[in-house]
Amino acid sequence: MAKPPTSKTPVRSSPGGRKLGQKVKKSKLKASSRRWLERHLNDPYVQRSKHDGYRSRAVYKLLEIDEKHQILKGAKRIIDLGAAPGGWSQISARVTDSTDTDPKVAAIDFLEMDPLPGVRFIQMDFLDDAAPDKLMEALGGAPDVVLSDMAAPTTGHSRTDHLRTMYLCEVAAHFAVDVLRPGGHFLAKTFQGGAERDLLTFLKQNFKSVVHVKPPASRAESVEMFVLAKGFKGRKQVEREEAADLG
Ligand SMILES: C[S@@+](CC[C@H](N)C(=O)[O-])C[C@H]1O[C@@H](n2cnc3c(N)ncnc32)[C@H](O)[C@@H]1O
């Protein structure tokens, strides 16, 4: 039985008006699912996202990163990889003033996503060979920002999950370098320990600055972190630098 809150239970009110510190009844739920549900119900970011009309708590990770590193300001076109349920796409549509008649955001996920004004959504695996062209066709011009919050579905085997998500990050980075406008930015989810060395070297060759970030909205106990590559040098510039290195 769930215990009623006592004066010692840390019940706080959230901006969404619901109480925090809630317990979930021991029912048919597995203990791990119950713990997840309790954490979800008591998460102030979840409640805030409902109050603010966002589709995910992940929105605050992007907003916090942007507040510190200013990656969205002035962006004219954005690509959102691993977009469902659509929180980052909501922000992207807002900052680009995207509308259905003049869309400035293209998003992809293999899961369904409810339509969002100003977002051209493609339901497809990003690892499908056809995905890059579909995204560019949907966007109708080079993006200033490529975002990837993609995480591989968990298998329960942490090393496998880690490798799969790192691979997604790597493919996203190569896509970003193929399509970004010079001066553009790339933000992607990675795991603790950060991007692999080869990927970091690749990003440093192509961007003016590369840092790892862990925004406050990313749970401290989660191994998740983000790699942020700012100031794409442009394909021509990188070719010139490579030629100079060889010469
Ligand atoms: C953490 S969620 C994204 C949340 C999103 N940023 C938001 O604010 O609503 C990660 C998403 O990546 C998607 N994903 C993972 N691998 C993918 C792939 N290969 N192709 C497309 N989407 C993928 C998952 O389906 C999931 O919806």
Side-chain angles (χ1 to χ4, degrees):
M1 274 279 288
K3 286 186 197 135
T6 66
S7 57
K8 287 191 183 149
T9 316
V11 177
R12 302 174 299 282
S13 242
S14 73
R18 265 217 333 252
K19 288 192 171 152
L20 299 176
Q22 297 184 75
K23 296 269 181 213
V24 175
K25 279 188 186 173
K26 277 186 195 158
S27 59
K28 286 177 190 151
L29 282 182
K30 278 199 301 191
S32 57
S33 309
R34 200 176 68 243
R35 276 198 302 277
W36 181 89
L37 192 57
E38 266 177 14
R39 198 182 59 189
H40 187 77
L41 287 172
N42 295 316
D43 181 338
Y45 282 106
V46 171
Q47 309 226 353
R48 205 170 132 198
S49 61
K50 292 203 165 59
H51 176 257
D52 294 347
Y54 291 132
R55 289 186 176 182
S56 67
R57 78 184 291 293
V59 155
Y60 300 103
K61 301 177 198 172
L62 179 60
L63 291 176
E64 286 168 357
I65 292 171
D66 184 49
E67 197 174 308
K68 193 157 174 204
H69 298 277
Q70 321 253 291
I71 52 172
L72 300 177
K73 198 170 163 215
K76 293 193 177 68
R77 287 192 178 88
I78 298 179
I79 288 186
D80 183 12
L81 309 174
W88 286 22
S89 286
Q90 283 179 291
I91 304 290
S92 302
R94 192 174 70 205
V95 298
T96 54
D97 287 327
S98 188
T99 60
D100 285 340
T101 44
D102 189 12
K104 301 288 170 63
V105 179
I108 188 168
D109 203 297
F110 51 50
L111 297 180
E112 275 179 35
M113 183 168 108
D114 287 339
L116 268 175
V119 177
R120 301 282 297 272
F121 177 66
I122 299 159
Q123 187 176 359
M124 184 179 218
D125 187 340
F126 173 64
L127 296 177
D128 189 307
D129 286 346
D133 285 348
K134 293 244 182 216
L135 280 163
M136 293 310 289
E137 203 179 282
L139 196 63
D144 305 284
V145 181
V146 172
L147 303 170
S148 168
D149 197 17
M150 284 187 294
T154 47
T155 60
H157 185 262
S158 59
R159 183 75 194 138
T160 305
D161 296 343
H162 181 102
L163 288 172
R164 285 188 177 172
T165 295
M166 295 312 291
Y167 179 64
L168 285 170
C169 181
E170 204 176 303
V171 180
H174 282 267
F175 169 70
V177 161
D178 281 347
V179 300
L180 271 175
R181 225 177 244 293
H185 311 308
F186 170 64
L187 172 70
K189 194 201 286 287
T190 66
F191 276 160
Q192 213 104 56
E196 306 293 344
R197 209 185 49 203
D198 286 355
L199 175 56
L200 275 184
T201 306
F202 173 74
L203 289 173
K204 283 177 182 165
Q205 272 163 357
N206 283 282
F207 292 85
K208 288 191 181 134
S209 83
V210 181
V211 289
H212 284 107
V213 285
K214 172 95 176 163
S218 176
R219 294 187 175 97
E221 69 275 18
S222 159
V223 291
E224 166 191 87
M225 62 193 307
F226 295 86
V227 63
L228 172 60
K230 281 183 76 179
F232 177 50
K233 293 178 186 173
R235 287 162 287 281
K236 290 222 172 78
Q237 175 63 22
V238 173
E239 275 164 26
R240 273 196 293 272
E241 286 179 15
E242 279 171 357
D245 282 349
L246 287 174

